[in-house]
Amino acid sequence: MDEVRVVVAHSERATLRVGDVFLKVDADQARIDVEVEAMSLAPVPTPEVLWRKPPVLAIAAVPGTVLGRLGEPSTASSAAWAAAGAAVRQLHEAPLPPWPGRRRRGPDELAAELDGECESLVTNGVLPADLVTRNREVAEAALRPWTPVFTHGDLQIDHVFVDGDEVTGIIDWSEAGRGDALFDLATLTLGQEEHVDAVIAGYGADVDLDVIRAWWSLRSLLGVRWLVEHGFDPFAPGCEVDALRSRM
């Protein structure tokens, strides 16, 4: 019998691996709906959906290995990072999905969420005020109008699989929707600043690096408290708090 391994588990959802099958358990069926539809529409390699029986979605493992992991140096080649950039560009050039996206639908809504989160981080002593203030200033560059594209919405480094210099799969599409292209690029390169040039070369379009840096700050500020509350460690070396410190 195959070993059952817990990939991730918290109060909102859990993912288990049994052999070459991943079982995603999610009480929010709308989130699973988005994931299934996004994978069917995205013009990039995605996992095969094997079956679905709410609240469980079964998908096949994709070949290859992750591009890297947050907090660890990536061993993937520059060509692999460029291939990831090219895959992201292919997604962003696809027709917009029919749904708007599950959250953060515009810069005004995002700014309000960010201001509230910054106040909470300082008031509750989660982060020093000077660190929050500086990164809130950096984050301002991301709060501008953007032309929506088909975004993954949670394009963390370990959601992209490669085999050599080829992208073999992109997983975890539950946050997909219409969004800012640079948010995807920033999420992919968070904590991996040395690979930004390769990603942009593969992406093949003019990219405002100040906005990418702004999204690093913004995403990290919004994520720290959630991560702590759900059993993750944003203070680990190379993770979100280090990303904030790097902007000081």
Side-chain angles (χ1 to χ4, degrees):
M1 181 176 180
D2 288 316
E3 178 185 9
V4 177
R5 180 167 66 87
V6 178
V7 178
V8 63
H10 50 76
S11 60
E12 295 181 4
R13 53 189 179 271
T15 301
L16 310 176
R17 179 168 186 169
V18 185
D20 289 332
V21 177
F22 286 88
L23 302 176
K24 306 191 75 168
V25 185
D26 198 324
D28 185 346
Q29 289 307 294
R31 190 158 44 210
I32 293 295
D33 290 342
V34 165
E35 179 151 16
V36 171
E37 187 168 2
M39 288 191 294
S40 72
L41 295 175
V44 295
T46 61
E48 176 190 0
V49 175
L50 300 176
W51 51 265
R52 181 182 180 187
K53 186 175 181 180
V56 182
L57 171 67
I59 60 176
V62 298
T65 58
V66 294
L67 189 62
R69 297 192 185 279
L70 185 63
E72 301 175 8
S74 171
T75 59
S77 67
S78 292
W81 279 93
V88 176
R89 178 67 181 277
Q90 189 175 5
L91 174 66
H92 291 171
E93 290 183 335
L96 288 171
W99 63 94
R102 291 174 50 82
R103 54 181 180 169
R104 299 178 197 149
R105 298 178 184 176
D108 292 339
E109 181 182 348
L110 185 61
E113 180 183 359
L114 179 60
D115 288 340
E117 192 64 29
C118 288
E119 181 179 357
S120 176
L121 290 171
V122 174
T123 300
N124 294 305
V126 179
L127 293 175
D130 61 340
L131 184 65
V132 172
T133 298
R134 170 56 182 156
N135 278 276
R136 176 61 182 85
E137 293 170 352
V138 174
E140 188 67 28
L143 302 174
R144 85 284 179 228
W146 59 74
T147 300
V149 299
F150 189 163
T151 57
H152 179 279
D154 191 24
L155 196 64
Q156 299 178 52
I157 184 176
D158 57 355
H159 290 169
V160 179
F161 283 71
V162 295
D163 184 1
D165 300 336
E166 177 184 356
V167 173
T168 54
I170 299 176
I171 66 171
D172 286 356
W173 291 82
S174 62
E175 300 297 332
R178 304 174 191 178
D180 181 8
L182 298 190
F183 176 71
D184 270 354
L185 293 176
T187 303
L188 178 65
T189 56
L190 180 68
Q192 301 286 335
E193 196 161 352
E194 65 273 22
H195 298 295
V196 171
D197 288 345
V199 170
I200 292 174
Y203 192 73
D206 289 336
V207 170
D208 189 332
L209 288 175
D210 285 339
V211 176
I212 286 185
R213 296 185 185 102
W215 274 118
W216 288 339
S217 291
L218 201 159
R219 180 182 172 92
S220 297
L221 286 169
L222 291 179
V224 166
R225 186 168 58 89
W226 186 95
L227 291 166
V228 170
E229 291 175 352
H230 289 78
F232 301 99
D233 185 9
F235 293 87
C239 294
E240 285 81 3
V241 175
D242 271 358
L244 295 172
R245 290 170 178 153
S246 70
R247 306 272 71 86
M248 297 296 286

